[in-house]
Amino acid sequence: MLLNGETDLLSDLETLKEVSEQVQQADPDQVKEYFKGLLPEILDFGVKVLLAFLIYIIGVRIIKFLRKLLRRFLDRSGAEEGVKQFLDSLAKALLYFCLVMLICGWFGISTASVVALLGSAGLAIGLALQGCLSNFAGGVLILVIKPFKVGDYIIEDDHKNEGTVTEIELFYTRLTTPDNQVIIIPNGILANCSLTNVTRQEKRRVEISVGVSYEADIRQVKKILTGLLEKEPEHLPEEELLVFVKELADSSVIMGCRLWVKTEHYWTVKWRLTEEIKRALDENGIEIPYQQLEVSIKSGSMH
């Protein structure tokens, strides 16, 4: 009794034997004629492939030339860098799509049938590419609403990604962090979440808080801090300088210092003033308290 596997093997062997017999019985002249008939079709297909490759090479060069013309036009029109990058990405995608359609037409594939196929599969494609479509729409919203532009320093509030905007592309925005890392965020996320544009305004307020001892003379402290703020070379003279008592904390009096500077000088001024305040208070013998724990032990009589 033969098993199923053995039966299938015998069937395959019989089929192979029949094919072998047909090949042996075939007329060699008929085989030659058959391949001679195929030769023009093979040569025609090879020529089409070669010409399609040449069309692709030429098309790529034309696309680069057209993109260069678009960039020149946008430069002359004074468009923002983010608009230039987005439109360049969009033009690149559309031009390459046209090039692919041209090559398909060269091989006899009707572009109308391709478009009809894409249309009939539109729902499935839309579901598959809904993330990309959302990012594309987000990019358009970013360019229209302009919550930021290339060169701005932003903080994405949901995931706390932050950095300087370097590129606004078709689907993604690239940020560069202060330590030179690159963060790529989908445009859909940036268009649908809250974010902080740190450098949008031309000026920023620097605020520094410092605690001094309750035994310190508040008038002397205010005089020292005011003098430091007035000597700061980057402060904007038209804006008011403020030194005030911010809080009476548990172990210190918190003093607040405020001054306005240009946005690009914010961190330099903040770091410099923080250091100068520490030095000035030390030189004038004013204590900056720190948290400490005092333990008192009372001795009692032993019973």
Side-chain angles (χ1 to χ4, degrees):
M1 183 175 181
L2 295 176
L3 299 175
N4 290 336
E6 295 175 347
T7 304
D8 294 340
L9 180 60
L10 289 175
S11 176
D12 293 340
L13 290 174
E14 290 176 358
T15 303
L16 183 62
K17 183 178 179 182
E18 291 176 1
V19 172
S20 177
E21 291 176 353
Q22 291 176 1
V23 171
Q24 291 176 0
Q25 293 174 2
D27 187 356
D29 293 333
Q30 291 180 350
V31 174
K32 290 180 180 179
E33 290 297 326
Y34 175 75
F35 281 107
K36 283 182 180 180
L38 287 179
L39 186 60
E41 296 181 6
I42 295 173
L43 290 176
D44 181 61
F45 181 77
V47 170
K48 284 185 176 180
V49 171
L50 180 60
L51 290 177
F53 179 74
L54 292 176
I55 290 173
Y56 175 79
I57 296 298
I58 296 172
V60 169
R61 293 181 179 273
I62 293 174
I63 288 173
K64 289 182 178 179
F65 175 72
L66 292 176
R67 289 174 62 195
K68 188 180 293 185
L69 288 180
L70 176 63
R71 294 284 296 194
R72 287 179 181 173
F73 171 76
L74 293 174
D75 288 339
R76 291 174 182 173
S77 63
E80 293 181 357
E81 188 62 30
V83 175
K84 296 177 189 176
Q85 293 171 353
F86 185 86
L87 291 180
D88 180 60
S89 299
L90 179 60
K92 180 181 178 181
L94 292 176
L95 289 172
Y96 270 103
F97 176 77
C98 293
L99 178 59
V100 170
M101 290 294 100
L102 179 63
I103 293 175
C104 288
W106 178 257
F107 279 100
I109 302 173
S110 174
T111 55
S113 61
V114 173
V115 172
L117 178 62
L118 292 176
S120 61
L123 179 60
I125 293 174
L127 291 174
L129 300 178
Q130 59 182 347
C132 292
L133 295 176
S134 173
N135 293 333
F136 175 77
V140 174
L141 284 175
I142 289 171
L143 294 179
V144 172
I145 301 175
K146 297 181 180 179
F148 58 84
K149 63 182 185 297
V150 173
D152 285 349
Y153 190 97
I154 65 172
I155 302 173
E156 183 261 310
D157 294 338
D158 285 359
H159 302 90
K160 302 303 178 183
N161 292 310
E162 61 179 278
T164 302
V165 180
T166 55
E167 292 183 56
I168 303 174
E169 298 180 345
L170 201 59
F171 301 110
Y172 298 94
T173 293
R174 296 176 184 269
L175 309 181
T176 301
T177 64
D179 58 347
N180 208 33
Q181 298 183 61
V182 176
I183 301 176
I184 302 175
I185 305 177
N187 289 334
I189 292 178
L190 291 176
N192 291 288
C193 76
S194 61
L195 57 87
T196 303
N197 191 328
V198 178
T199 56
R200 182 65 174 266
Q201 303 297 330
E202 293 182 357
K203 60 183 179 181
R204 286 186 69 185
R205 187 182 71 189
V206 178
E207 181 165 349
I208 300 174
S209 299
V210 59
V212 298
S213 170
Y214 271 96
E215 286 74 24
D217 185 346
I218 297 299
R219 288 171 296 184
Q220 182 188 10
V221 174
K222 291 184 70 174
K223 183 178 180 181
I224 293 170
L225 297 179
T226 302
L228 291 176
L229 298 189
E230 290 175 344
K231 288 190 297 183
E232 171 53 48
E234 300 297 344
H235 90 275
L236 300 177
E238 67 274 13
E239 298 293 341
E240 183 182 10
L241 301 175
L242 286 177
V243 176
F244 54 93
V245 178
K246 184 176 182 180
E247 181 184 355
L248 300 176
D250 293 338
S251 58
S252 62
V253 178
I254 307 299
M255 304 297 297
C257 305
R258 290 178 181 173
L259 76 162
W260 289 84
V261 299
K262 290 183 178 180
T263 299
E264 60 266 26
H265 299 147
Y266 176 84
W267 286 109
T268 303
V269 172
K270 188 177 180 66
W271 293 331
R272 180 167 58 230
L273 272 179
T274 301
E275 180 178 344
E276 290 179 353
I277 288 172
K278 173 65 168 66
R279 288 180 178 177
L281 294 180
D282 288 345
E283 290 172 358
N284 288 274
I286 298 173
E287 179 186 359
I288 301 177
Y290 54 90
Q291 290 186 354
Q292 50 188 325
L293 179 65
E294 293 184 1
V295 180
S296 299
I297 302 177
K298 294 183 178 180
S299 60
S301 57
M302 297 292 294
H303 296 285

